[in-house]
Amino acid sequence: MSGFNYRAIWSIYRFELHRFRRTLLTGLLVPVITTSLYFVVFGGAIGSRMTQIDGIAYAAFIVPGLIMMSMFTESIFNASFGIYMPKFTGTIYELLSAPVSAAETIIAYVGAAATKSLIVGTIIFLTAHLFVDLPVAHPLAMIGFMLLIAISFCLFGFILGIWAQSFEQLQVIPMLIVMPMTFLGGAFYSIHMLAEPWRTITLFNPIVYLISGFRWTFFGRGDVGIELSLLFVAGMLVLCLAIIGWMFRTGYRIKK
Amino acid sequence: MPRMASIITVSGLTKSYASGFQALKGVDLEIEEGEIFALLGPNGAGKTTMISIICGNVRATGGSVTVAGHDIVRDYRGSRSAIGLVPQELHTDAFERVIDTVTFSRGLFGKPRNDAYIEKILRDLSLWDKRHSKILELSGGMKRRVMIAKALSHEPRILFLDEPTAGVDVELRRDMWKLIGELRQTGVTIILTTHYIEEAEEMADRVGVIDKGELILVEEKTALMKKLGKKSLTVVLAEPLAAVPPELAEWQVALKADGHEIEYLFDTQAERTGVSSLLRKLGDLGIGYKDLNTQQSSLEDIFVSLVHQEKAA
């Protein structure tokens, strides 16, 4: 047999989605509830006392940040878990002994995790419509952006899953790095609201560019230019692919 | 003797770990198509390392392996497609159903769906009734069957069984042996590792002995037993002896069963086995005996003596 093992990709993809289906209720209910809570707290309680940000109602302003935050978390969690679990249970022996290339493995695992992440993002988007009037200036760009974000963060999660040697390590990066960076990355405010030097410091946070870019697809403007945002997404994709390429070449933490 | 076509060729295979530990020190081995080959060795000898390299789970440090004509690195798709692997540990997806996990394996190896074939495997392995059970609900023996079913799901030409009966009860072990015998009938080449000599003795066509990363010997099982086999002669005495008479020192006999028996170990390959001269000597000494019996030494004895020699050298 030679050529592309598309059947393996499909098998892994289905297996992973089946795993998600087992926890379907919590998996889908959690984002809906979380979103609703954010709207009650930020949109209702605090937002009612706030003026508009860049001419956008506060409750609407936070939607892109909210979607991004959930998608970051979901992507990292699902993709890292997807590859960490076979390592943990030992079932990875089968993947390693199968005629499956590195590229096929990544497409399957990252594809499955990205699918779930996109579903969650879409649910939050739809739930948000229950609370606010939400215009979308560039619908196609919005979908494209969600797709790119899902893929890059799933790649990142995949790296994390290969790197992690314990459940604690699996949690530490999302909780201690990604979560704070997202909060400080303008998920719930415009960085223009910050005073110097914080505004300049914030510009070193790559998350700022991602959230700003996604916000642009809704409102036609963001904290930074859309070109810069796209550059950061592309940069993240390339970086993750390079790391994964190196991991597979060296067998890092997968193959002795 | 004309040799059959090799299905696996291992040449100069080495593996060293970052710690400096050398798991394999230049192994050469040919596996013939259709045979049952038993790789024998104590724990930590390098059995699993060798299998893992051939199957793709571990990278070799040096040397090469071809499987069904495919190099395991350059043409891994070809080599891996030919192999089914049943690892030593029971690694399973606990929450999956039996039929799903076996179907998954077939897809992973790039084979088109074939429900009839999957059904046949599951029936052959007595898993059909359990096909909708979650794996975590199965007993250890059943889980091992599931792993065999997964390994067979893509119709491999070669099946690797790493310690197939480790920690398995006697009855299940018999079942497993029967199963392996049946698989062989279908033309599948089987390589199994074991440290139960009994297993190799029962099933294998050829035996390889590995110790400390080196293949000490590869031999037809029967030839091996003939070549290295020692026999013991037990002489049941008419009257018990208190001590071995000094006249018998030459044969190095041992007194057994409270002086009722003497045991003499001899090499079947030796020109003079010493059996007739010993019996003559007993007659000369006036030591009467009621019965004689000889026993072939088992692979276990052979193995122990081999590993022992290796250590002494």
Side-chain angles (χ1 to χ4, degrees):
Chain A
M1 192 194 69
S2 60
F4 205 63
N5 190 351
Y6 64 90
R7 287 200 182 94
I9 297 177
W10 181 233
S11 292
I12 297 171
Y13 185 84
R14 277 189 37 181
F15 176 90
E16 284 292 291
L17 288 189
H18 187 242
R19 192 166 63 79
F20 299 148
R21 264 206 298 280
R22 280 203 297 266
T23 53
L24 192 67
L25 197 66
T26 44
L28 299 186
L29 219 58
V30 167
V32 173
I33 291 173
T34 315
T35 313
S36 307
L37 287 175
Y38 272 107
F39 274 113
V40 171
V41 175
F42 286 113
I46 298 174
S48 60
R49 290 164 178 262
M50 285 180 66
T51 49
Q52 296 182 331
I53 297 179
D54 296 339
I56 305 156
Y58 184 68
F61 180 85
I62 63 170
V63 174
L66 212 51
I67 294 176
M68 281 292 104
M69 195 166 75
S70 291
M71 285 186 66
F72 294 165
T73 320
E74 281 289 328
S75 301
I76 294 173
F77 178 76
N78 290 318
S80 64
F81 219 72
I83 193 68
Y84 179 77
M85 277 313 277
K87 271 194 350 173
F88 179 73
T89 60
T91 53
I92 197 162
Y93 84 88
E94 194 177 27
L95 179 65
L96 294 177
S97 65
V100 181
S101 70
E104 289 152 5
T105 306
I106 294 163
I107 292 170
Y109 278 103
V110 169
T115 302
K116 194 190 175 196
S117 178
L118 285 168
I119 291 172
V120 168
T122 308
I123 288 174
I124 296 174
F125 178 74
L126 295 177
T127 311
H129 279 280
L130 301 176
F131 294 91
V132 288
D133 204 13
L134 199 61
V136 178
H138 309 285
L140 278 179
M142 184 194 83
I143 294 167
F145 213 88
M146 279 171 81
L147 205 63
L148 283 174
I149 289 294
I151 292 170
S152 3
F153 277 77
C154 286
L155 285 170
F156 179 69
F158 189 84
I159 294 170
L160 194 67
I162 290 179
W163 167 81
Q165 286 174 312
S166 65
F167 280 100
E168 197 198 359
Q169 287 185 343
L170 208 56
Q171 302 283 354
V172 98
I173 303 275
M175 296 305 282
L176 287 185
I177 298 178
V178 180
M179 185 76 153
M181 273 171 75
T182 310
F183 261 95
L184 299 176
F188 301 110
Y189 56 86
S190 164
I191 61 164
H192 297 306
M193 293 160 79
L194 295 173
E196 286 295 356
W198 297 111
R199 188 195 292 187
T200 309
I201 291 172
T202 302
L203 289 175
F204 286 96
N205 179 356
I207 301 283
V208 166
Y209 299 87
L210 307 183
I211 292 176
S212 164
F214 194 51
R215 193 168 282 139
W216 176 88
T217 68
F218 280 77
F219 311 118
R221 54 187 178 274
D223 289 342
V224 294
I226 181 69
E227 302 81 8
L228 212 52
S229 296
L230 286 173
L231 202 67
F232 267 82
V233 179
M236 182 165 172
L237 268 172
V238 170
L239 185 68
C240 288
L241 285 173
I243 296 173
I244 290 177
W246 171 81
M247 281 176 154
F248 274 98
R249 256 197 322 283
T250 57
Y252 177 80
R253 289 194 181 174
I254 328 177
K255 252 186 192 188
K256 282 183 284 245
Chain B
M1 195 181 76
R3 290 180 66 82
M4 291 177 71
S6 292
I7 194 159
I8 298 179
T9 306
V10 177
S11 23
L13 196 65
T14 60
K15 173 69 188 177
S16 345
Y17 288 99
S19 63
F21 174 68
Q22 264 193 295
L24 293 175
K25 302 167 185 168
V27 172
D28 297 295
L29 179 64
E30 302 263 336
I31 303 289
E32 291 159 22
E33 175 132 42
E35 74 172 332
I36 297 186
F37 186 88
L39 196 57
L40 217 58
N43 288 320
K47 302 186 294 283
T48 300
T49 302
M50 185 153 105
I51 285 193
S52 300
I53 290 174
I54 298 173
C55 296
N57 294 57
V58 169
R59 286 163 188 261
T61 307
S64 68
V65 180
T66 59
V67 176
H70 306 280
D71 183 275
I72 57 161
V73 179
R74 278 193 305 278
D75 188 9
Y76 66 91
R77 286 190 201 269
S79 70
R80 292 182 197 173
S81 296
I83 297 176
L85 166 65
V86 184
Q88 193 171 337
E89 308 285 335
L90 291 173
H91 300 306
T92 52
D93 290 299
F95 300 104
E96 292 295 314
R97 296 184 313 158
V98 171
I99 192 144
D100 294 335
T101 194
V102 177
T103 308
F104 166 80
S105 298
R106 187 177 169 88
L108 194 63
F109 278 76
K111 288 272 176 154
R113 193 174 158 159
N114 184 341
D115 293 342
Y117 180 74
I118 299 290
E119 177 174 343
K120 185 186 176 308
I121 297 175
L122 293 180
R123 284 193 188 280
D124 288 352
L125 289 161
S126 324
L127 283 170
W128 184 246
D129 294 338
K130 301 271 184 192
R131 65 189 181 280
H132 296 306
S133 302
K134 282 183 179 164
I135 296 173
L136 63 91
E137 295 163 0
L138 302 179
S139 67
M142 281 295 183
K143 281 182 188 150
R144 193 163 301 267
R145 283 165 190 265
V146 172
M147 298 193 68
I148 296 177
K150 281 166 77 72
L152 291 174
S153 67
H154 63 278
E155 302 161 62
R157 291 169 66 188
I158 306 162
L159 184 66
F160 276 94
L161 295 161
D162 197 358
E163 303 270 356
T165 58
V168 157
D169 63 41
V170 178
E171 196 181 338
L172 195 63
R173 188 178 302 175
R174 290 276 158 203
D175 276 5
M176 203 63 81
W177 290 352
K178 187 165 154 273
L179 181 74
I180 292 168
E182 285 162 8
L183 282 174
R184 191 255 199 94
Q185 297 301 314
T186 65
V188 176
T189 305
I190 296 166
I191 295 132
L192 58 96
T193 70
T194 181
H195 54 262
Y196 296 119
I197 319 277
E198 198 192 355
E199 198 154 89
E201 208 168 338
E202 177 81 21
M203 286 187 295
D205 298 308
R206 288 196 308 148
V207 176
V209 177
I210 191 167
D211 187 41
K212 296 198 187 69
E214 281 173 289
L215 206 55
I216 307 173
L217 127 168
V218 177
E219 193 84 60
E220 302 275 335
K221 182 186 67 187
T222 45
L224 173 71
M225 293 189 58
K226 212 178 281 170
K227 189 163 137 196
L228 287 164
K230 292 228 158 101
K231 274 191 157 183
S232 70
L233 168 71
T234 307
V235 182
V236 183
L237 303 171
E239 300 291 329
L241 286 173
V244 178
E247 290 86 350
L248 297 181
E250 181 188 336
W251 291 271
Q252 296 184 314
V253 297
L255 217 49
K256 296 271 167 96
D258 287 334
H260 283 92
E261 292 174 11
I262 53 178
E263 189 191 57
Y264 167 56
L265 289 173
F266 63 97
D267 190 342
T268 54
Q269 298 296 304
E271 210 161 302
R272 292 172 184 282
T273 58
V275 172
S276 53
S277 58
L278 172 67
L279 294 180
R280 260 200 312 277
K281 193 73 178 177
L282 288 174
D284 293 349
L285 292 169
I287 300 171
Y289 48 86
K290 315 188 273 199
D291 195 12
L292 295 172
N293 72 70
T294 63
Q295 220 169 4
Q296 180 88 46
S297 62
S298 66
L299 257 174
E300 180 135 22
D301 304 323
I302 298 171
F303 178 65
V304 168
S305 75
L306 265 173
V307 172
H308 193 74
Q309 276 168 27
E310 191 72 10
K311 275 176 186 151

